[in-house]
Amino acid sequence: MRKTIIALTTFAIVSTSFVGKAYGQTYTVRPGDTLYKIAKNYGTTVQAIKDENGLTSNVIYANQNLNIPSSTRKTYTVVSGDSLYKIANKFGVTIQQLKTWNRLNSDRIYVGQTLVVANNSLTNTYHVKPGDTLSGIGKRFGVTVGQLKAWNNLSSDVIYVGQTLKVSAPSTNKYVVQPGDTLSHIAKKYNVTVQQLKAWNGLTSDLIKVGQTLTVSKPSTTSQSGSVPTPTKSFSSRLVEEAKKHVGTPYAWGGTSPSGFDCSGFIYYVFNQAGKSIQRSTTEGYFAQSYKINQPNVGDLVFFANTYKEGISHMGIYIGNNQFIHASSSNGVAITKLDNPYWSKYFVGYYRFK
């Protein structure tokens, strides 16, 4: 059969009648179709269709079968005073997810900009295509390599073309906290206990905030193979696990990404990656947002003063065994003992975010 090549255009072309707008189906391209028209009809984007089908250009042809991305997408228009932190809290997502879904290379946004604020897979799966890696897939769906490996029972980073991967947590119901909500109210709504909600979400108190996303049903205890997976990790475990991934990352003044961190940028990045949305701030700013404690838990903050300047000047994360992990100007991200001859002289104390 001769293929009729159709390129993406902006002028009027032959009208096309679409039948059925169900998500997660295959669509056969008709004469006059463009990726733009198909994406608009199915409530998705040109890029999402290209990603789903491994397309490197906007060229499609008649009778070509396209997989329509199985997703629900919600958009938001940026208004004056908005920040990624504020928008993430409003819609119960992380800053990293917003940046991934919108292909942002920085935290900068502008008034009038349209952002995707919900992009949840209905089938929760993705078919591996040539050139894919777990890292690349993780970035595309706003999840970590560790999560992909856990959800798919992978013991290595090796994947193969055509393999079907779960790209979101299976069998887990989520709820976004609304104004006036309490743990007691949410527990009653979902017929669970407050203690279960706290355990499933790694909460150490009854405090919750508007926009926070909570797990409201017990995670699956068995996988398809019948094996028992690792229990749901607490926030502190996820935080330390994420922080340790970056040991050896070089120091960069103002850095907030795996290409380079400063001490407060490191805190900002790993807390958000582990599931706690915090706004980018300085060491002094985070100190002001914290309160002092006497008996630290893993995941608490440690502060230092009068290192390269007067006052609060450095911070890190307590990881137990008298150790903390931090981004230092001399060694980059490293694990250090609190009784280290240098750092012990400037140690202020243990703190926890309010």
PDB file of all heavy atoms in Angstrom, residues 60-87:
ATOM      1  N   ILE A  60       3.303  11.973   9.899  1.00  0.00           N
ATOM      2  CA  ILE A  60       2.504  10.746  10.027  1.00  0.00           C
ATOM      3  C   ILE A  60       1.935  10.421   8.656  1.00  0.00           C
ATOM      4  O   ILE A  60       1.985  11.253   7.733  1.00  0.00           O
ATOM      5  CB  ILE A  60       1.365  10.916  11.046  1.00  0.00           C
ATOM      6  CG1 ILE A  60       0.494  12.143  10.713  1.00  0.00           C
ATOM      7  CG2 ILE A  60       1.923  11.041  12.461  1.00  0.00           C
ATOM      8  CD1 ILE A  60      -0.713  12.302  11.628  1.00  0.00           C
ATOM      9  N   TYR A  61       1.378   9.224   8.477  1.00  0.00           N
ATOM     10  CA  TYR A  61       0.860   8.827   7.170  1.00  0.00           C
ATOM     11  C   TYR A  61      -0.469   8.104   7.325  1.00  0.00           C
ATOM     12  O   TYR A  61      -0.775   7.526   8.378  1.00  0.00           O
ATOM     13  CB  TYR A  61       1.857   7.955   6.409  1.00  0.00           C
ATOM     14  CG  TYR A  61       2.322   6.732   7.155  1.00  0.00           C
ATOM     15  CD1 TYR A  61       1.600   5.537   7.098  1.00  0.00           C
ATOM     16  CD2 TYR A  61       3.492   6.768   7.916  1.00  0.00           C
ATOM     17  CE1 TYR A  61       2.035   4.418   7.783  1.00  0.00           C
ATOM     18  CE2 TYR A  61       3.929   5.649   8.608  1.00  0.00           C
ATOM     19  CZ  TYR A  61       3.191   4.469   8.547  1.00  0.00           C
ATOM     20  OH  TYR A  61       3.618   3.372   9.228  1.00  0.00           O
ATOM     21  N   ALA A  62      -1.272   8.147   6.269  1.00  0.00           N
ATOM     22  CA  ALA A  62      -2.591   7.521   6.284  1.00  0.00           C
ATOM     23  C   ALA A  62      -2.472   6.033   6.582  1.00  0.00           C
ATOM     24  O   ALA A  62      -1.553   5.362   6.106  1.00  0.00           O
ATOM     25  CB  ALA A  62      -3.289   7.742   4.938  1.00  0.00           C
ATOM     26  N   ASN A  63      -3.408   5.541   7.412  1.00  0.00           N
ATOM     27  CA  ASN A  63      -3.495   4.130   7.831  1.00  0.00           C
ATOM     28  C   ASN A  63      -2.450   3.730   8.863  1.00  0.00           C
ATOM     29  O   ASN A  63      -2.350   2.554   9.233  1.00  0.00           O
ATOM     30  CB  ASN A  63      -3.403   3.186   6.616  1.00  0.00           C
ATOM     31  CG  ASN A  63      -4.572   3.371   5.668  1.00  0.00           C
ATOM     32  OD1 ASN A  63      -5.716   3.453   6.110  1.00  0.00           O
ATOM     33  ND2 ASN A  63      -4.288   3.450   4.377  1.00  0.00           N
ATOM     34  N   GLN A  64      -1.645   4.699   9.307  1.00  0.00           N
ATOM     35  CA  GLN A  64      -0.693   4.417  10.388  1.00  0.00           C
ATOM     36  C   GLN A  64      -1.458   4.266  11.702  1.00  0.00           C
ATOM     37  O   GLN A  64      -2.398   5.016  11.988  1.00  0.00           O
ATOM     38  CB  GLN A  64       0.303   5.568  10.507  1.00  0.00           C
ATOM     39  CG  GLN A  64       1.339   5.394  11.607  1.00  0.00           C
ATOM     40  CD  GLN A  64       2.304   6.572  11.662  1.00  0.00           C
ATOM     41  OE1 GLN A  64       2.137   7.553  10.920  1.00  0.00           O
ATOM     42  NE2 GLN A  64       3.286   6.499  12.530  1.00  0.00           N
ATOM     43  N   ASN A  65      -1.102   3.281  12.494  1.00  0.00           N
ATOM     44  CA  ASN A  65      -1.726   3.073  13.798  1.00  0.00           C
ATOM     45  C   ASN A  65      -0.935   3.803  14.877  1.00  0.00           C
ATOM     46  O   ASN A  65       0.274   3.601  14.999  1.00  0.00           O
ATOM     47  CB  ASN A  65      -1.810   1.583  14.139  1.00  0.00           C
ATOM     48  CG  ASN A  65      -2.829   0.861  13.278  1.00  0.00           C
ATOM     49  OD1 ASN A  65      -3.864   1.432  12.922  1.00  0.00           O
ATOM     50  ND2 ASN A  65      -2.552  -0.384  12.932  1.00  0.00           N
ATOM     51  N   LEU A  66      -1.591   4.643  15.648  1.00  0.00           N
ATOM     52  CA  LEU A  66      -0.960   5.390  16.724  1.00  0.00           C
ATOM     53  C   LEU A  66      -1.576   4.997  18.055  1.00  0.00           C
ATOM     54  O   LEU A  66      -2.801   4.874  18.168  1.00  0.00           O
ATOM     55  CB  LEU A  66      -1.139   6.903  16.520  1.00  0.00           C
ATOM     56  CG  LEU A  66      -0.472   7.539  15.303  1.00  0.00           C
ATOM     57  CD1 LEU A  66      -0.852   9.016  15.230  1.00  0.00           C
ATOM     58  CD2 LEU A  66       1.043   7.371  15.369  1.00  0.00           C
ATOM     59  N   ASN A  67      -0.719   4.821  19.043  1.00  0.00           N
ATOM     60  CA  ASN A  67      -1.207   4.606  20.403  1.00  0.00           C
ATOM     61  C   ASN A  67      -1.544   5.961  21.013  1.00  0.00           C
ATOM     62  O   ASN A  67      -0.705   6.858  21.052  1.00  0.00           O
ATOM     63  CB  ASN A  67      -0.157   3.909  21.264  1.00  0.00           C
ATOM     64  CG  ASN A  67       0.108   2.492  20.808  1.00  0.00           C
ATOM     65  OD1 ASN A  67      -0.809   1.775  20.430  1.00  0.00           O
ATOM     66  ND2 ASN A  67       1.372   2.089  20.818  1.00  0.00           N
ATOM     67  N   ILE A  68      -2.761   6.118  21.501  1.00  0.00           N
ATOM     68  CA  ILE A  68      -3.158   7.359  22.150  1.00  0.00           C
ATOM     69  C   ILE A  68      -2.775   7.253  23.616  1.00  0.00           C
ATOM     70  O   ILE A  68      -3.166   6.301  24.297  1.00  0.00           O
ATOM     71  CB  ILE A  68      -4.678   7.604  22.012  1.00  0.00           C
ATOM     72  CG1 ILE A  68      -5.078   7.584  20.533  1.00  0.00           C
ATOM     73  CG2 ILE A  68      -5.060   8.919  22.669  1.00  0.00           C
ATOM     74  CD1 ILE A  68      -4.366   8.621  19.690  1.00  0.00           C
ATOM     75  N   PRO A  69      -1.991   8.188  24.139  1.00  0.00           N
ATOM     76  CA  PRO A  69      -1.542   8.107  25.531  1.00  0.00           C
ATOM     77  C   PRO A  69      -2.711   7.969  26.491  1.00  0.00           C
ATOM     78  O   PRO A  69      -3.713   8.679  26.387  1.00  0.00           O
ATOM     79  CB  PRO A  69      -0.813   9.441  25.748  1.00  0.00           C
ATOM     80  CG  PRO A  69      -0.424   9.873  24.377  1.00  0.00           C
ATOM     81  CD  PRO A  69      -1.506   9.403  23.475  1.00  0.00           C
ATOM     82  N   SER A  70      -2.572   7.034  27.414  1.00  0.00           N
ATOM     83  CA  SER A  70      -3.610   6.806  28.427  1.00  0.00           C
ATOM     84  C   SER A  70      -3.355   7.722  29.602  1.00  0.00           C
ATOM     85  O   SER A  70      -2.684   7.363  30.563  1.00  0.00           O
ATOM     86  CB  SER A  70      -3.579   5.351  28.882  1.00  0.00           C
ATOM     87  OG  SER A  70      -3.805   4.497  27.801  1.00  0.00           O
ATOM     88  N   SER A  71      -3.854   8.927  29.519  1.00  0.00           N
ATOM     89  CA  SER A  71      -3.586   9.873  30.595  1.00  0.00           C
ATOM     90  C   SER A  71      -4.697  10.888  30.746  1.00  0.00           C
ATOM     91  O   SER A  71      -5.443  11.161  29.807  1.00  0.00           O
ATOM     92  CB  SER A  71      -2.265  10.616  30.353  1.00  0.00           C
ATOM     93  OG  SER A  71      -2.371  11.380  29.183  1.00  0.00           O
ATOM     94  N   THR A  72      -4.840  11.388  31.937  1.00  0.00           N
ATOM     95  CA  THR A  72      -5.725  12.517  32.190  1.00  0.00           C
ATOM     96  C   THR A  72      -4.815  13.697  32.460  1.00  0.00           C
ATOM     97  O   THR A  72      -3.922  13.612  33.287  1.00  0.00           O
ATOM     98  CB  THR A  72      -6.625  12.261  33.412  1.00  0.00           C
ATOM     99  OG1 THR A  72      -5.810  11.918  34.528  1.00  0.00           O
ATOM    100  CG2 THR A  72      -7.596  11.129  33.143  1.00  0.00           C
ATOM    101  N   ARG A  73      -5.045  14.784  31.762  1.00  0.00           N
ATOM    102  CA  ARG A  73      -4.170  15.937  31.882  1.00  0.00           C
ATOM    103  C   ARG A  73      -4.981  17.139  32.333  1.00  0.00           C
ATOM    104  O   ARG A  73      -6.072  17.401  31.850  1.00  0.00           O
ATOM    105  CB  ARG A  73      -3.477  16.242  30.549  1.00  0.00           C
ATOM    106  CG  ARG A  73      -2.587  15.134  30.059  1.00  0.00           C
ATOM    107  CD  ARG A  73      -2.112  15.409  28.652  1.00  0.00           C
ATOM    108  NE  ARG A  73      -1.259  16.568  28.560  1.00  0.00           N
ATOM    109  CZ  ARG A  73       0.062  16.545  28.745  1.00  0.00           C
ATOM    110  NH1 ARG A  73       0.657  15.412  29.026  1.00  0.00           N
ATOM    111  NH2 ARG A  73       0.772  17.640  28.638  1.00  0.00           N
ATOM    112  N   LYS A  74      -4.457  17.878  33.260  1.00  0.00           N
ATOM    113  CA  LYS A  74      -5.085  19.104  33.733  1.00  0.00           C
ATOM    114  C   LYS A  74      -4.069  20.227  33.597  1.00  0.00           C
ATOM    115  O   LYS A  74      -2.888  20.039  33.870  1.00  0.00           O
ATOM    116  CB  LYS A  74      -5.498  18.960  35.199  1.00  0.00           C
ATOM    117  CG  LYS A  74      -6.182  20.204  35.772  1.00  0.00           C
ATOM    118  CD  LYS A  74      -6.417  20.052  37.261  1.00  0.00           C
ATOM    119  CE  LYS A  74      -7.424  18.973  37.567  1.00  0.00           C
ATOM    120  NZ  LYS A  74      -7.711  18.898  39.019  1.00  0.00           N
ATOM    121  N   THR A  75      -4.523  21.372  33.139  1.00  0.00           N
ATOM    122  CA  THR A  75      -3.614  22.493  32.962  1.00  0.00           C
ATOM    123  C   THR A  75      -3.999  23.654  33.880  1.00  0.00           C
ATOM    124  O   THR A  75      -5.129  23.738  34.358  1.00  0.00           O
ATOM    125  CB  THR A  75      -3.602  22.985  31.506  1.00  0.00           C
ATOM    126  OG1 THR A  75      -4.919  23.397  31.127  1.00  0.00           O
ATOM    127  CG2 THR A  75      -3.116  21.899  30.571  1.00  0.00           C
ATOM    128  N   TYR A  76      -3.042  24.534  34.091  1.00  0.00           N
ATOM    129  CA  TYR A  76      -3.230  25.694  34.960  1.00  0.00           C
ATOM    130  C   TYR A  76      -2.485  26.874  34.334  1.00  0.00           C
ATOM    131  O   TYR A  76      -1.362  26.709  33.848  1.00  0.00           O
ATOM    132  CB  TYR A  76      -2.691  25.402  36.353  1.00  0.00           C
ATOM    133  CG  TYR A  76      -2.654  26.605  37.275  1.00  0.00           C
ATOM    134  CD1 TYR A  76      -3.808  27.075  37.890  1.00  0.00           C
ATOM    135  CD2 TYR A  76      -1.447  27.272  37.535  1.00  0.00           C
ATOM    136  CE1 TYR A  76      -3.776  28.180  38.730  1.00  0.00           C
ATOM    137  CE2 TYR A  76      -1.407  28.370  38.375  1.00  0.00           C
ATOM    138  CZ  TYR A  76      -2.577  28.822  38.978  1.00  0.00           C
ATOM    139  OH  TYR A  76      -2.543  29.911  39.811  1.00  0.00           O
ATOM    140  N   THR A  77      -3.113  28.062  34.356  1.00  0.00           N
ATOM    141  CA  THR A  77      -2.479  29.252  33.815  1.00  0.00           C
ATOM    142  C   THR A  77      -1.859  30.068  34.943  1.00  0.00           C
ATOM    143  O   THR A  77      -2.535  30.424  35.912  1.00  0.00           O
ATOM    144  CB  THR A  77      -3.499  30.118  33.058  1.00  0.00           C
ATOM    145  OG1 THR A  77      -4.084  29.338  32.006  1.00  0.00           O
ATOM    146  CG2 THR A  77      -2.821  31.337  32.452  1.00  0.00           C
ATOM    147  N   VAL A  78      -0.585  30.335  34.837  1.00  0.00           N
ATOM    148  CA  VAL A  78       0.167  31.031  35.880  1.00  0.00           C
ATOM    149  C   VAL A  78      -0.351  32.458  36.045  1.00  0.00           C
ATOM    150  O   VAL A  78      -0.576  33.167  35.058  1.00  0.00           O
ATOM    151  CB  VAL A  78       1.667  31.070  35.528  1.00  0.00           C
ATOM    152  CG1 VAL A  78       2.462  31.850  36.575  1.00  0.00           C
ATOM    153  CG2 VAL A  78       2.211  29.648  35.404  1.00  0.00           C
ATOM    154  N   VAL A  79      -0.549  32.862  37.310  1.00  0.00           N
ATOM    155  CA  VAL A  79      -0.982  34.227  37.617  1.00  0.00           C
ATOM    156  C   VAL A  79       0.095  34.933  38.429  1.00  0.00           C
ATOM    157  O   VAL A  79       1.045  34.297  38.917  1.00  0.00           O
ATOM    158  CB  VAL A  79      -2.315  34.235  38.397  1.00  0.00           C
ATOM    159  CG1 VAL A  79      -3.415  33.597  37.572  1.00  0.00           C
ATOM    160  CG2 VAL A  79      -2.171  33.521  39.736  1.00  0.00           C
ATOM    161  N   SER A  80      -0.046  36.226  38.591  1.00  0.00           N
ATOM    162  CA  SER A  80       0.939  37.003  39.337  1.00  0.00           C
ATOM    163  C   SER A  80       1.081  36.474  40.764  1.00  0.00           C
ATOM    164  O   SER A  80       0.095  36.202  41.439  1.00  0.00           O
ATOM    165  CB  SER A  80       0.503  38.477  39.366  1.00  0.00           C
ATOM    166  OG  SER A  80       1.421  39.261  40.092  1.00  0.00           O
ATOM    167  N   GLY A  81       2.324  36.322  41.214  1.00  0.00           N
ATOM    168  CA  GLY A  81       2.593  35.833  42.559  1.00  0.00           C
ATOM    169  C   GLY A  81       2.807  34.342  42.647  1.00  0.00           C
ATOM    170  O   GLY A  81       3.188  33.819  43.698  1.00  0.00           O
ATOM    171  N   ASP A  82       2.567  33.627  41.551  1.00  0.00           N
ATOM    172  CA  ASP A  82       2.752  32.174  41.542  1.00  0.00           C
ATOM    173  C   ASP A  82       4.226  31.785  41.557  1.00  0.00           C
ATOM    174  O   ASP A  82       5.091  32.531  41.091  1.00  0.00           O
ATOM    175  CB  ASP A  82       2.108  31.551  40.296  1.00  0.00           C
ATOM    176  CG  ASP A  82       0.648  31.217  40.486  1.00  0.00           C
ATOM    177  OD1 ASP A  82       0.207  31.128  41.653  1.00  0.00           O
ATOM    178  OD2 ASP A  82      -0.054  31.042  39.478  1.00  0.00           O
ATOM    179  N   SER A  83       4.486  30.603  42.085  1.00  0.00           N
ATOM    180  CA  SER A  83       5.799  29.957  42.004  1.00  0.00           C
ATOM    181  C   SER A  83       5.542  28.477  41.815  1.00  0.00           C
ATOM    182  O   SER A  83       4.423  27.999  42.062  1.00  0.00           O
ATOM    183  CB  SER A  83       6.607  30.194  43.288  1.00  0.00           C
ATOM    184  OG  SER A  83       5.981  29.539  44.391  1.00  0.00           O
ATOM    185  N   LEU A  84       6.542  27.728  41.374  1.00  0.00           N
ATOM    186  CA  LEU A  84       6.363  26.283  41.233  1.00  0.00           C
ATOM    187  C   LEU A  84       6.006  25.656  42.566  1.00  0.00           C
ATOM    188  O   LEU A  84       5.204  24.722  42.635  1.00  0.00           O
ATOM    189  CB  LEU A  84       7.638  25.641  40.662  1.00  0.00           C
ATOM    190  CG  LEU A  84       7.888  25.835  39.170  1.00  0.00           C
ATOM    191  CD1 LEU A  84       9.110  25.032  38.743  1.00  0.00           C
ATOM    192  CD2 LEU A  84       6.684  25.430  38.332  1.00  0.00           C
ATOM    193  N   TYR A  85       6.608  26.165  43.636  1.00  0.00           N
ATOM    194  CA  TYR A  85       6.310  25.643  44.970  1.00  0.00           C
ATOM    195  C   TYR A  85       4.825  25.834  45.297  1.00  0.00           C
ATOM    196  O   TYR A  85       4.151  24.910  45.760  1.00  0.00           O
ATOM    197  CB  TYR A  85       7.179  26.356  46.006  1.00  0.00           C
ATOM    198  CG  TYR A  85       6.799  26.072  47.439  1.00  0.00           C
ATOM    199  CD1 TYR A  85       7.147  24.867  48.038  1.00  0.00           C
ATOM    200  CD2 TYR A  85       6.105  27.014  48.180  1.00  0.00           C
ATOM    201  CE1 TYR A  85       6.795  24.600  49.354  1.00  0.00           C
ATOM    202  CE2 TYR A  85       5.751  26.751  49.498  1.00  0.00           C
ATOM    203  CZ  TYR A  85       6.098  25.548  50.076  1.00  0.00           C
ATOM    204  OH  TYR A  85       5.739  25.291  51.375  1.00  0.00           O
ATOM    205  N   LYS A  86       4.318  27.027  45.044  1.00  0.00           N
ATOM    206  CA  LYS A  86       2.918  27.336  45.355  1.00  0.00           C
ATOM    207  C   LYS A  86       1.970  26.484  44.506  1.00  0.00           C
ATOM    208  O   LYS A  86       0.970  25.952  45.003  1.00  0.00           O
ATOM    209  CB  LYS A  86       2.660  28.820  45.118  1.00  0.00           C
ATOM    210  CG  LYS A  86       1.263  29.288  45.483  1.00  0.00           C
ATOM    211  CD  LYS A  86       1.126  30.797  45.285  1.00  0.00           C
ATOM    212  CE  LYS A  86      -0.276  31.281  45.642  1.00  0.00           C
ATOM    213  NZ  LYS A  86      -0.407  32.745  45.457  1.00  0.00           N
ATOM    214  N   ILE A  87       2.286  26.343  43.228  1.00  0.00           N
ATOM    215  CA  ILE A  87       1.436  25.561  42.329  1.00  0.00           C
ATOM    216  C   ILE A  87       1.481  24.075  42.697  1.00  0.00           C
ATOM    217  O   ILE A  87       0.461  23.385  42.680  1.00  0.00           O
ATOM    218  CB  ILE A  87       1.863  25.779  40.871  1.00  0.00           C
ATOM    219  CG1 ILE A  87       1.646  27.249  40.479  1.00  0.00           C
ATOM    220  CG2 ILE A  87       1.085  24.867  39.923  1.00  0.00           C
ATOM    221  CD1 ILE A  87       2.248  27.621  39.138  1.00  0.00           C
TER     222      ILE A  87
END
